[in-house]
Amino acid sequence: MSTSARSSCVQRGRLTDAPRVHLGVTASLEAVLSHASAEDDMTRNNQMHLFIGMWVTADGFIRHELLPNGRYDEARGNRKSVYQGRYEVTGEHIEYRDDTGFTADGSFIDGVLHHAGMVLYREP
C-alpha cells in the first residue's frame, strides 16, 4: 500500500475508507470451529474439575494430586514429586503423560481411580 493510500486509511488512529476484505465462508467456518473447540475445552475442563484433588492408595503410600491446570504430581512414601506431568480426562477415563514422555491411563469407577493395578481413593 502506498504512503498516500495508507494515510487516507488512518485518521486520528482510526481506520477510515479502508478497503474491506470479504472472508465469507472461510471466516464463518473458522468461527464455528473456534466455538466448537472452546466448547470442547470447556467440557474437558468441567470433566477434569470433577476429579481434581488428591487420590491415595488405601495404605497412603502412593498419592496422585490432580491439579486444576491439567498437571499432576505423584508422591510415593516420603518422596514428594516422584513423577510429574500432564493428565487429561475424557468421561471416566484419564490419560497421563509424565514429563519424561511415559504414558499411562486409568479409569474412574464408582468414585474410585483404578490406575496401573492400583486403586486410589479421593482424599477428603
Side-chain angles (χ1 to χ4, degrees), residues 81-94:
S81 301
V82 175
Y83 299 104
Q84 294 177 315
R86 301 202 65 72
Y87 73 92
E88 186 171 320
V89 175
T90 305
E92 303 291 313
H93 185 80
I94 184 168

Side-chain angles (χ1 to χ4, degrees), residues 3-14:
T3 306
S4 61
R6 197 175 304 131
S7 63
S8 70
C9 292
V10 179
Q11 177 183 14
R12 294 187 188 174
R14 296 182 310 184

Side-chain angles (χ1 to χ4, degrees), residues 1-121:
M1 184 181 285
S2 71
T3 306
S4 61
R6 197 175 304 131
S7 63
S8 70
C9 292
V10 179
Q11 177 183 14
R12 294 187 188 174
R14 296 182 310 184
L15 290 177
T16 59
D17 300 325
R20 295 186 184 262
V21 178
H22 178 67
L23 299 177
V25 174
T26 303
S28 298
L29 181 58
E30 286 176 357
V32 168
L33 293 175
S34 175
H35 181 72
S37 176
E39 284 183 345
D40 288 346
D41 288 345
M42 190 178 340
T43 300
R44 188 177 309 111
N45 289 339
N46 287 340
Q47 288 174 336
M48 285 171 43
H49 177 71
L50 296 173
F51 304 110
I52 290 170
M54 184 67 75
W55 295 83
V56 300
T57 54
D59 61 5
F61 185 76
I62 296 177
R63 299 172 305 285
H64 286 194
E65 184 175 11
L66 302 180
L67 303 167
N69 63 357
R71 293 200 44 90
Y72 73 92
D73 191 317
E74 180 177 326
R76 292 179 176 231
N78 57 6
R79 294 177 36 212
K80 295 182 180 184
S81 301
V82 175
Y83 299 104
Q84 294 177 315
R86 301 202 65 72
Y87 73 92
E88 186 171 320
V89 175
T90 305
E92 303 291 313
H93 185 80
I94 184 168
E95 293 280 337
Y96 294 92
R97 176 180 292 274
D98 77 14
D99 291 340
T100 69
F102 179 79
T103 61
D105 66 347
S107 296
F108 295 94
I109 302 170
D110 296 326
V112 176
L113 172 56
H114 297 262
H115 164 69
M118 297 178 284
V119 177
L120 296 100
Y121 302 90

